[in-house]
Amino acid sequence: MQVKSEQVQTDITLYTLVNDNGMEVSCLNLGGVITKIMAPDRNNNIENVVLGFRNLDDYKQNPTYFGALIGRVAGRIQGSQFELDNEVYSLEANNEENHLHGGSHGFHAAIWDVAPFENADEVGLKLSHFSPDGEGGYPGNLQVNVTYTLNNKNELAISYQANSDHKTALTLTNHSYFNLSGNLKNDIKNHKVTLNSSKFVELDAELIPTGKQLSVENTVFDFQLGRQIIDGVKSDYDQNLNAGKGYDHYFLFDHTRPEQAIVEDQQSGRKLIVTTDQPGMVMYTSNSLDDSLELLEGPSKQHLGICLETQASPASLHHEGFPSVILNKDETYTAKTTFTFDVIK
């Protein structure tokens, strides 16, 4: 078990967590971006299973949020504003008329303070960031701490903790795009996904929640027993078409199983298991990716990765009955999501 570090630019450092199985997780202090995850297939071939840029400078823009920590609020906030205690807070409109992923200067663009740690059973990084009152339009001075931990069970745990001196809106996530084929050999359309979810959130044409929670029954959103992504790509259901032929939807977890999501690639034999205490997850199947980005293994393309954005729901700022993103003054926000890299037995 070890942590390697390399200063790649004046203010940017690349850290690599290595476990005793040869699995590696690489991360930048810029945006807490996970640039690479090297994980074994069924034959113990270790290959990269996330999308990342070939050139470091592309992470400074990172319009796709590859691998980044997202905040203050992950997802879209309708009309770029919300109300708290009869006061309206206006945010940057960086996604048409709406606010997306904390704005253009969100946590994905911040230089985080990083403290590596190593012990016999695990290695990791403690990342911390201070967001001042009013940054991005959000109220409250906010201290955020995120810990990435890799152990010898091939588990990557991401733990979040935050405190604010003013009531505010907050839900954090990591925006890695997974592709279990290894080194982007194939797209993710044949990846099989199983979700512990019987409801998802309806979206309008701008990908803004309508306020309705829909049953997955008898739709291509029913992943309870497992389903391939291609079912949603080929579907003519308006919810898939709104998302750009695929999924970009919030699934509410039932929390009736230990694991909330499982992704499998039959060809490589890789399996990714997601456990989390979060109430739901946005599953995004990179519907809007085109061939304009230069990735480590070649050009980007549609449906090349799947994001598993565990979080609460920003729809709660405008609609009743959704998992809240409100953090009260002096309350501690905590969340944890674990990604286990396994193989299909």
Side-chain angles (χ1 to χ4, degrees), residues 16-287:
T16 300
L17 310 177
V18 186
N19 73 7
D20 293 341
N21 306 321
M23 184 176 160
E24 297 185 4
V25 178
S26 297
C27 170
L28 296 171
N29 60 340
L30 170 63
V33 168
I34 294 173
T35 60
K36 189 190 292 185
I37 296 178
M38 302 294 288
D41 68 3
R42 65 161 61 88
N43 298 316
N44 209 33
N45 296 311
I46 295 179
E47 296 172 308
N48 183 29
V49 294
V50 292
L51 275 61
F53 289 114
R54 174 172 294 181
N55 302 310
L56 177 74
D57 283 345
D58 288 335
Y59 285 112
K60 294 177 180 177
Q61 304 300 322
N62 203 359
T64 50
Y65 305 92
F66 283 147
L69 292 173
I70 304 296
R72 291 190 185 189
V73 171
R76 291 174 176 82
I77 295 179
Q78 180 180 344
S80 300
Q81 64 178 31
F82 63 93
E83 187 177 315
L84 275 185
D85 296 337
N86 299 315
E87 186 166 349
V88 175
Y89 295 92
S90 295
L91 311 172
E92 175 192 3
N94 65 322
N95 186 247
E96 303 295 336
E97 297 175 358
N98 307 303
H99 177 81
L100 176 66
H101 290 335
S104 56
H105 300 288
F107 294 170
H108 67 285
I111 298 290
W112 292 66
D113 295 324
V114 180
F117 62 90
E118 300 179 19
N119 58 48
D121 302 316
E122 59 187 26
V123 291
L125 305 171
K126 293 181 178 177
L127 299 94
S128 57
H129 175 62
F130 177 75
S131 176
D133 177 44
E135 185 174 60
Y138 292 93
N141 292 296
L142 185 78
Q143 178 62 47
V144 184
N145 301 295
V146 180
T147 305
Y148 290 157
T149 307
L150 176 66
N151 65 20
N152 282 328
K153 296 177 182 176
N154 288 1
E155 295 172 339
L156 172 63
I158 306 181
S159 301
Y160 306 85
Q161 184 260 324
N163 296 87
S164 174
D165 62 1
H166 192 287
K167 191 174 184 179
T168 192
L170 183 79
T171 186
L172 307 177
T173 197
N174 175 274
H175 208 286
S176 289
Y177 291 65
F178 296 97
N179 182 319
L180 302 185
S181 70
N183 295 346
L184 305 188
K185 284 194 289 292
N186 301 304
D187 60 33
I188 51 105
K189 286 184 285 201
N190 290 325
H191 280 29
K192 178 185 174 185
V193 177
T194 306
L195 299 179
N196 184 207
S197 172
S198 55
K199 288 182 183 175
F200 72 101
V201 174
E202 183 181 61
L203 299 179
D204 67 16
E206 289 189 337
L207 302 176
I208 296 297
T210 64
K212 291 182 181 176
Q213 297 177 14
L214 303 180
S215 170
V216 302
E217 298 292 340
N218 301 313
T219 75
V220 292
F221 285 76
D222 188 351
F223 288 91
Q224 294 175 101
L225 299 177
R227 174 185 294 279
Q228 290 183 316
I229 293 299
I230 196 167
D231 291 354
V233 173
K234 289 185 170 181
S235 168
D236 59 3
Y237 183 23
D238 66 347
Q239 286 301 295
N240 298 111
L241 297 178
N242 284 354
K245 295 189 176 180
Y247 302 91
D248 195 2
H249 293 72
Y250 189 81
F251 289 82
L252 293 123
F253 290 139
D254 295 339
H255 282 289
T256 55
R257 306 176 194 161
E259 61 284 332
Q260 304 314 311
I262 300 171
V263 183
E264 297 169 290
D265 176 52
Q266 197 63 47
Q267 193 166 342
S268 70
R270 289 188 179 91
K271 175 161 79 169
L272 175 60
I273 301 165
V274 181
T275 55
T276 185
D277 56 11
Q278 292 287 66
M281 175 187 85
V282 174
M283 183 172 76
Y284 173 54
T285 50
S286 52
N287 317 312

